[in-house]
Amino acid sequence: MLIATWNVNSIRTRLDQVIKWMEEVKPDLLCLQETKVDDTLFPKEAIESKGFQVFFHGQKAYNGVALISPHELDDVRMGFIGELPSDTEAIRLGEQKRVISALLDGIRVVNVYVPNGSEVGSPKYIYKLEWLNCLNRYLEAPRKRDEPICLLGDFNIALEARDIHNPKRLTGGIMASEKERLGLKSVLGENMQDVFRVFENETNHWSWWDYRSGAWDRDSGWRIDHIYLCETLVMQARSCLIHKSIRGNQKPSDHAPVSVDINWPPSEDLDYVDGHY
DNA sequence: ATGCCGTATTACATACGA
């Protein structure tokens, strides 16, 4: 089972690259962020004509998330109020289209685009912390249903120094502040693990390179696109890859795709090594 | 090194991203 995440920074601009990547890599599910288009204008037919299912939850100009799969997806849920009681907070934080989830072969895949946060202490930063708190509440529902959870997307947070090209300069700032990190850790709890770190301990693995300042040419990036797996799934993980070469495309997104290969449904023939099969 | 990039918008300059 191959599940992937990719912040495409506009689905309409990146449509050909997305279809090409689906056909070459053949993921069972691709989760997109920053589709940047209202649902009425989403390029649904172009994707369906290639033999894929597509579900989207978007808005004009900003944000927007989508799911693309060659398989049937079950129980697709859009936004926070797909899972949360429709209280004032869930409605307010659901105005920006940043969450979509579905069941894929029994796995609850939750695709998120965490707010950017602008600047530490700014109103957008407060919003980011509130949003993470709401995500935490949101995840209680699939947990209560005992669904194995795969939480993935663009988190706009680097949890550790090794996830930043220049930790001395950037730690404490936006995407690397204590409150953001605590907010995300609280969402993850004891059970969810960053599957990339199951297989790779070194720094210099990035998923986002700023368009500005020649960040790609200097390989100055951040690892802010993550795949978190519950204990049941992480035990079956075979590999987790950052598809770095995609950032070198003509007219690239500023993010590269990240994928995880999971032995799912689990087979019995794997050796248990180092905390995973 | 808060930006010189890229995307979107009742666009031809501005907001936003991270």
Side-chain angles (χ1 to χ4, degrees):
Chain A
M1 175 75 73
L2 194 62
I3 302 177
T5 175
W6 190 5
N7 179 322
V8 289
N9 186 19
S10 166
I11 182 59
R12 288 177 293 180
T13 297
R14 232 63 68 191
L15 182 60
D16 292 349
Q17 289 182 52
V18 167
I19 289 171
K20 181 163 181 265
W21 197 80
M22 285 295 300
E23 290 177 337
E24 284 180 4
V25 178
K26 298 180 168 57
D28 296 289
L29 175 62
L30 173 60
C31 300
L32 303 180
Q33 306 87 36
E34 281 210 270
T35 51
K36 289 186 163 179
V37 64
D38 186 81
D39 289 347
T40 57
L41 296 172
F42 192 98
K44 182 173 188 276
E45 289 75 18
I47 293 169
E48 288 178 343
S49 72
K50 300 292 181 180
F52 301 115
Q53 304 270 322
V54 59
F55 299 90
F56 40 86
H57 182 53
Q59 66 187 86
K60 187 169 65 176
Y62 304 115
N63 311 316
V65 282
L67 304 170
I68 303 179
S69 172
H71 310 297
E72 295 284 337
L73 301 179
D74 300 312
D75 196 27
V76 179
R77 293 169 184 260
M78 321 285 194
F80 282 134
I81 57 176
E83 288 284 35
L84 278 175
S86 178
D87 60 27
T88 321
E89 185 76 344
I91 291 168
R92 181 173 68 87
L93 293 168
E95 282 169 8
Q96 297 185 13
K97 309 307 185 195
R98 296 177 177 276
V99 191
I100 187 169
S101 97
L103 282 173
L104 171 65
D105 212 347
I107 299 175
R108 171 58 63 180
V109 180
V110 179
N111 174 21
V112 298
Y113 174 48
V114 176
N116 159 295
S118 188
E119 205 179 308
V120 174
S122 69
K124 287 180 184 172
Y125 179 78
I126 306 297
Y127 184 91
K128 184 178 194 172
L129 299 177
E130 290 170 343
W131 196 92
L132 286 168
N133 191 265
C134 198
L135 178 62
N136 200 346
R137 287 202 290 145
Y138 168 95
L139 289 172
E140 286 171 16
R143 282 188 180 126
K144 277 185 185 152
R145 292 194 295 268
D146 279 327
E147 296 166 350
I149 297 176
C150 169
L151 170 66
L152 79 176
D154 176 1
F155 288 82
N156 275 319
I157 294 169
L159 275 179
E160 302 178 293
R162 61 182 168 167
D163 299 322
I164 314 174
H165 67 90
N166 188 345
K168 270 193 175 163
R169 185 168 65 86
L170 298 166
T171 297
I174 195 64
M175 300 196 292
S177 72
E178 194 64 21
K179 283 181 180 172
E180 290 167 81
R181 286 173 168 178
L182 286 173
L184 178 51
K185 282 177 188 171
S186 178
V187 168
L188 303 175
E190 297 295 305
N191 198 30
M192 304 291 290
Q193 287 189 55
D194 179 350
V195 69
F196 184 79
R197 286 305 182 200
V198 169
F199 300 101
E200 179 58 67
N201 284 312
E202 295 302 311
T203 186
N204 290 311
H205 295 276
W206 321 127
S207 67
W208 170 78
W209 297 257
D210 201 323
Y211 286 125
R212 295 167 289 193
S213 315
W216 170 249
D217 294 329
R218 293 183 293 112
D219 199 25
S220 296
W222 296 58
R223 196 176 68 85
I224 56 176
D225 301 88
H226 309 148
I227 301 176
Y228 294 97
L229 299 180
C230 71
E231 189 65 24
T232 303
L233 294 175
V234 81
M235 301 252 288
Q236 303 296 333
R238 293 193 185 101
S239 62
C240 179
L241 298 177
I242 299 174
H243 298 250
K244 183 176 179 179
S245 68
I246 295 301
R247 182 60 177 81
N249 282 356
Q250 293 290 318
K251 289 207 68 172
S253 167
D254 45 354
H255 297 251
V258 182
S259 68
V260 65
D261 184 16
I262 309 172
N263 173 42
W264 194 266
S267 58
E268 302 299 325
D269 58 350
L270 296 179
D271 296 321
Y272 189 74
V273 179
D274 240 7
H276 60 88
Y277 287 93

